[in-house]
Amino acid sequence: MGQPLLNPITLFISNPCTSSLSIFIICILGFYTLHYPHASPSPSNSQTALRFRRSFLSSATNATVAAYLRALTKHPHLAGTKPSLDTIHYVQSHLSGLGLQTHTAHYNALLSYPLHSSLSAHFSNGSHVDIPLAEPGLSHDGGGVVQPYHAYSPSGSAHAKVVFVNHGSGEDYRALEALGVNVSGCVVIARRGGDLPRGEAIRNAEKNGALAVLLYTEGDSRYNQGFERGVVMNGVGDPLTPGWGGVDGAERLDLEDPEVLKRFPNVPSMPLSAEAAGNILGTLGGAPAPPEWRAGVERVGPGPTVLNFTYQGEKKMVTIQNVFAVIKGLEEPDRYVLLGNHRDAWTYGAVDPNSGTAALLDIARRYALLIHSGWNPRRTIILCSWDAEEFGMIGSTEWVEQNLVNLGSKAVAYLNVDCAAQGPGFFVGATPQLDNLILEVTKKVKDPDLEGSTVYENWLTKNGIIDIQRLSGVDSDFASFVQHAGVPSIDIYYGRDFPVYHTAFDSYDWMREFGDPLFHRHVAVAGIWGLIALHLADDSILPFNYFSYVDQLKHYKDFLSHLLDGSISLDPLTTAIEEFAYAAKEAEDEAQLREEESTSEFVMLKKRALNDRLMLAERGFLDSDGLEGRQWFKHLVYGPPSDHGSKLFFFPGVADAMNQAKSTKTGQGQAKLQHEIWRVARAIQRAARSLRGEIY
Ligand SMILES: *[C@@H]1O[C@H](CO)[C@@H](O)[C@H](O)[C@H]1NC(C)=O
Ligand SMILES: *[C@@H]1O[C@H](CO)[C@@H](O)[C@H](O)[C@H]1NC(C)=O
Ligand SMILES: *[C@@H]1O[C@H](CO)[C@@H](O)[C@H](O)[C@H]1NC(C)=O
Ligand SMILES: *[C@@H]1O[C@H](CO)[C@@H](O)[C@H](O)[C@H]1NC(C)=O
């Protein structure tokens, strides 16, 4: 937030819980009314399908959702701890109690827990204070809330002068250098923000020679004694089993393996409360803070205040568990529509993530009602409750890695909800072929905050435009589905930047008072989420629209052309996008044709063949070599840039090459950049060919 707009088509927002990446505003209003020909199932059963969708919508109740949330948030339930077993049991017995078939998948994963920490400030007048390192009223084991820490921070200590580094971005360090401030040998304090991932703020500090890092989160002053716990490991999934499932007896890398070590920072770090940070920063001397950083921090140091900091933690192998409920498809049991949410929480997790869990459990309740009234989905629906998301999407990633081939060939879509209800305002991210379905479904669901309006109407009125974010971030469980497996995905939430994020204050009481007092936002999320899944599971032709993908790719290409000089050719992209547009048109025409045809077995087979092409086109964007230096990331359109400073939140390989071109010899850098553009072009061609389905 507060970032200058880079370009009319991009706007950077910060949402601490799910994707904090760019929103690409797409001007799609008129466009979509023109191109939405295949929303409903084939004529003979469309009335029935409509009846089930209506009865799904009318079965919404806020009381059930509230009761589930109450039960889920009774105790803190950090992944890998004893109390988390209660929530596993609660979710599983709820699902099986509804008569749904349930499964669990467990993995042994390397998680990280705190043992001891201390911090004292030593002022220039000779006095010193101990800084509290937990929310008031919580002792280290008080109520089972884990003491504030950064998962996977190394143990260590530092006794050194303090420097304030703003968000700790590359740009911030350049500003410090211009002021003549050298952070080498200091303890740095940074405030979370500017979309900078936690781990990157720490790595930047490390690169600049800092001895330790303290991160605080500024926001609502009522919660300025809160500590934002979080993970500081790079990448996604269990560090010991990169690319394969961490099942019993699996191959595991050694803790000292360079592949493992490179995922952890080398300097210790900790969260700090905004109150404590303010008290320390108020005592700094040295250079004056650049005015654009922050009113309230006058000087950045170093010192004279000295901090004495220690952190001791342990990395431990623990068992984590995903829980699934399966509703088998009648006609196409081997096609999967997946709805997923994580269950593990830093503390009580009322917002993050159990508002989403409560919505998922209510969808299960409502689907069970449909089943009782005679509904059978056409395709298989799987409800997924992930573990250890907070440690780097570990539960979902291990499962995706273990089931890569089945998901690659059979997963229609993955629908994620992490923090369902953080506050007011509808937000959604998606791979673009799902944009259209999102619009159609939000037109059917009541707005939780505006009487008489639909979610769609209020969304449009509030923003003046429909904005759908893209899934380049690695901050929720959609990451492996999109970026590793190439499964079309959606991520839905209400509100963002909620002030109790990852603190001990993220409780049921906070939800009741502020997040969603009447649980209507929970109900809206469950309605949208469940209805999208019903369409994907029941529509005879998958409601995917590739025109919006074409449109989005064209925007990316134009955006890129403004950043690059004439020595780099974007022609390969232009050609590939044209091919993709042609394939999208063909698929759309065929969809219209099939829509009008009878439901004979022969036509159903043809529909299935078309659906397979619609489903598999997204996989075309995967490249088996992956991104350079981080091969796990296979998607060449969506993925995180390795340096946040690049501000290019698509084509991650191109983003990295642009960054490197700045620091290498021109010729080499440019050649590399051109190569990355070719790779993206080939990925788009692969998607086009898989959409066309022709190999000749
Ligand atoms: C020393 O400085 C600190 C920080 O400015 C202040 O809080 C404290 O009251 C001072 N102590 C004395 C004895 O002046
Ligand atoms: C900062 O200080 C360290 C250690 O004193 C030194 O090695 C480094 O070169 C300095 N950096 C700059 C940019 O002056
Ligand atoms: C710093 O803190 C550690 C751990 O609390 C303590 O053992 C050590 O004596 C302190 N050092 C100074 C110089 O205060
Ligand atoms: C559910 O919504 C109704 C109507 O707005 C409200 O009166 C009731 O208190 C809500 N229930 C809960 C549990 O929030």
Side-chain angles (χ1 to χ4, degrees), residues 116 118-120 122 158-159 308-310:
H116 170 77
S118 70
L119 181 67
S120 58
H122 302 253
H159 182 96
N308 182 21
F309 163 80
T310 63

Side-chain angles (χ1 to χ4, degrees), residues 3 93 126 347 443 450 455 482 639:
Q3 298 254 353
S93 56
T347 67
K443 287 174 187 166
L450 191 62
V455 168
V482 177

